[in-house]
Amino acid sequence: MKPLKRKAYEALLEPMQVELAGAARWLKASGRRLLVVFEGRDTAGKGGAIAAIAQPLNPRQCRIVALPKPSDQEAGQWYFQRYAPHLPAAGEIALFDRSWYNRAGVERVMGFADEAQVQAFLHQAPAFERLLADDGILLFKYWLCCDQAEQEQRFAERLENPIKRWKLSPIDMEARARYADYTRAREAMLQATHTAHAPWTLVDFNDQRRGRLTLIRDLLDRLPDTRVDPPAPLAFPPLPGRPKKERYGVLAPIPPYPAG
């Protein structure tokens, strides 16, 4: 299948973004809470998918959560504790660019968590998510799939592009040699944490534009009926008199400060 061209992608995305805006109105009106978890290999396309969802929404309502490496204090907390403050409140949307599943992925593969910690996480994660679902949070978990050849090409593009080079880290470079280890870790994670109350959805992101459309369509289709009438169009009262035009002069250069 040929990659989706930009114009075709944008034409298909626009009506979905209108639906996303409608879903945001429904969340605000109903007080429901939406939490979407984005996971996947490095370069899979998590950031682009999140941006496509967040772009038409009010940033006061829709928050992107991308937590850094845990601090020393956070490392001594209950593992899920650092994520709890970022859960959505009534009417809010939280988009997690990686999440508590770091423990089952990078922390496991890179040796930042021992096997006992990983097994404890795999046991506790379904219970944690059960609490979220029981409290009324709409929780959706997406794994963005990207094969090794495509990942290598994207790594090379980041290395060559100075604007994208910040996305590369020593961990990313080491992860290249551990593709199979990440696959095994992912399969163990899916087996332990794919539940009826918080299922995983895997989306093909070898074509990122097509993947974004697939993910957003799935998200919209799985939300409850979100139809809420949009607010009535604003009618601006007429201004008294004629609109005034600003007049701009020429700014004089600022004189230099005296030496000393």
Side-chain angles (χ1 to χ4, degrees), residues 26-73:
W26 170 78
L27 286 163
K28 187 174 182 180
S30 65
R32 298 297 300 272
R33 294 162 288 168
L34 177 60
L35 169 58
V36 188
V37 169
F38 296 80
E39 292 286 350
R41 299 179 189 273
D42 296 318
T43 78
K46 297 179 290 296
I50 290 170
I53 293 172
Q55 188 270 330
L57 304 181
N58 185 340
R60 292 187 178 92
Q61 182 186 17
C62 177
R63 293 182 289 105
I64 298 172
V65 181
L67 300 186
K69 177 184 175 182
S71 66
D72 291 341
Q73 181 184 23

Side-chain angles (χ1 to χ4, degrees), residues 111-197:
F112 301 141
D114 60 35
E115 192 60 23
Q117 290 173 314
V118 172
Q119 292 305 319
F121 168 82
L122 294 176
H123 176 72
Q124 293 175 7
F128 174 67
E129 292 167 359
R130 174 86 266 177
L131 293 174
L132 301 182
D134 286 350
D135 202 53
I137 290 179
L138 298 166
L139 172 60
F140 298 92
K141 302 187 303 189
Y142 290 99
W143 180 274
L144 282 54
C145 301
C146 172
D147 64 33
Q148 190 171 19
E150 184 63 30
Q151 185 187 48
E152 281 294 295
Q153 182 176 334
R154 293 175 190 175
F155 272 135
E157 289 173 359
R158 288 183 179 184
L159 189 62
E160 295 169 4
N161 188 337
I163 297 176
K164 294 183 178 182
R165 202 169 295 155
W166 65 269
K167 296 183 177 183
L168 288 175
S169 70
I171 295 294
D172 297 331
M173 304 307 288
E174 187 174 348
R176 291 178 57 243
R178 304 197 181 196
Y179 191 91
D181 293 337
Y182 272 98
T183 298
R184 285 189 288 270
R186 180 195 65 186
E187 294 307 306
M189 179 200 74
L190 294 176
Q191 185 175 5
T193 63
H194 178 66
T195 61
H197 59 272

